[in-house]
Amino acid sequence: MFIDLSTLSPNRVYFTLIQTIIPRPIAWVLSDNGTGAAQRYNLAPFSYFNAVCSDPPLLMVSIGKKPDGSIKDTRRNILERGKFVVHIAHSGQVDAVNASSADLPAGTSELDALGLETVAFGDFPLPRLRDARVAFACERYQVMEVGEQAIVFGLVRSAYIDDSIAVADAQGRLQIDALGLDPLSRLGGDQYGVLGQVVTRRRPR
Ligand SMILES: Cc1cc2nc3c(=O)[nH]c(=O)nc-3n(C[C@H](O)[C@H](O)[C@H](O)COP(=O)(O)O)c2cc1C
């Protein structure tokens, strides 16, 4: 099958891309809506997400608009306050990740609705989810508007890695146990993926 994407509607292009570029990592993003109240923390998943640079350490998340055309809460919070936390969810958190994508009214916290606990993240002003095995404390680095999307580049200031999945190798480099991290990923439609098998190959010199 040959598909000329210029003949497809944006919706069809979307479905073609998200069902073929798989699995996609999921950024489970905590941001601050600035109310200073108990409902101040917003949480939502984004699978247009990846690491893009290590010097400086940057990741990117591409955030669209709500069906009514308004800006998604995470996007607005990052634009207005600049700080956010990206978590890597494990497979046991699939229901919470999925539920946190519900379009709640701005100012209503997914954390409360889902009963998720947070803990302090060093001296970063935002907390991290207690039960996520990896979290990144990020600052807005640059935002590029592309079509309806805002591609947010986040500068990773610090990382939390659960001790149970991290060991140092003989050279003192951090080794993360991929199966222990057990990252949830996004497939097409309503599907999620979990790691099945890890295969190892040394890169040729
Ligand atoms: C697994 C998953 C991945 C998603 N990835 C994206 C994405 O990459 N970009 C996006 O704009 N929305 C994405 N969404 C939809 C948002 O999570 C959803 O619009 C959410 O309500 C946004 O929340 P907010 O308004 O609190 O920021 C995804 C949803 C799910 C379930």
Side-chain angles (χ1 to χ4, degrees):
M1 182 186 292
F2 172 84
I3 305 175
D4 177 354
L5 292 199
S6 69
T7 65
L8 301 183
S9 67
N11 205 31
R12 285 285 172 90
V13 170
Y14 168 74
F15 280 110
T16 305
L17 294 182
I18 63 158
Q19 293 181 93
T20 48
I21 302 176
I22 57 168
R24 292 185 306 287
I26 298 172
W28 204 10
V29 180
L30 181 148
S31 60
D32 181 358
N33 64 32
T35 59
Q39 299 285 320
R40 65 188 289 193
Y41 296 125
N42 188 91
L43 187 70
F46 297 92
S47 68
Y48 278 9
F49 158 58
N50 225 308
V52 286
C53 186
S54 31
D55 186 15
L58 295 181
L59 51 75
M60 59 75 52
V61 184
S62 178
I63 309 177
K65 292 185 176 167
K66 297 186 186 189
D68 67 5
S70 63
I71 300 288
K72 290 190 184 182
D73 300 339
T74 303
R75 177 167 165 180
R76 196 193 52 251
N77 293 345
I78 293 172
L79 287 175
E80 290 180 1
R81 271 164 292 283
K83 293 192 167 52
F84 57 106
V85 176
V86 170
H87 304 85
I88 305 298
H90 60 76
S91 65
Q93 294 174 315
V94 61
D95 290 320
V97 166
N98 199 50
S100 70
S101 72
D103 191 11
L104 299 183
T108 306
S109 175
E110 289 82 7
L111 295 175
D112 283 356
L114 296 169
L116 293 168
E117 279 182 48
T118 57
V119 290
F121 196 169
D123 58 4
F124 198 64
L126 301 184
R128 63 176 173 83
L129 293 177
R130 198 199 60 193
D131 292 334
R133 293 171 189 161
V134 168
F136 299 110
C138 301
E139 280 175 16
R140 187 186 65 235
Y141 182 80
Q142 198 174 315
V143 179
M144 187 188 289
E145 305 244 342
V146 180
E148 294 285 283
Q149 305 285 126
I151 302 178
V152 175
F153 293 93
L155 181 68
V156 182
R157 286 291 184 196
S158 55
Y160 164 80
I161 296 165
D162 191 303
D163 288 338
S164 69
I165 61 165
V167 285
D169 69 6
Q171 285 78 41
R173 288 177 309 191
L174 195 60
Q175 298 274 303
I176 313 272
D177 171 18
L179 291 171
L181 175 53
D182 186 22
L184 188 66
S185 64
R186 189 58 157 160
L187 307 176
D190 290 337
Q191 297 176 329
Y192 290 85
V194 296
L195 283 186
Q197 203 188 346
V198 175
V199 292
T200 305
R201 294 288 183 280
R202 217 172 255 285
R203 271 171 66 172
R205 301 261 169 225

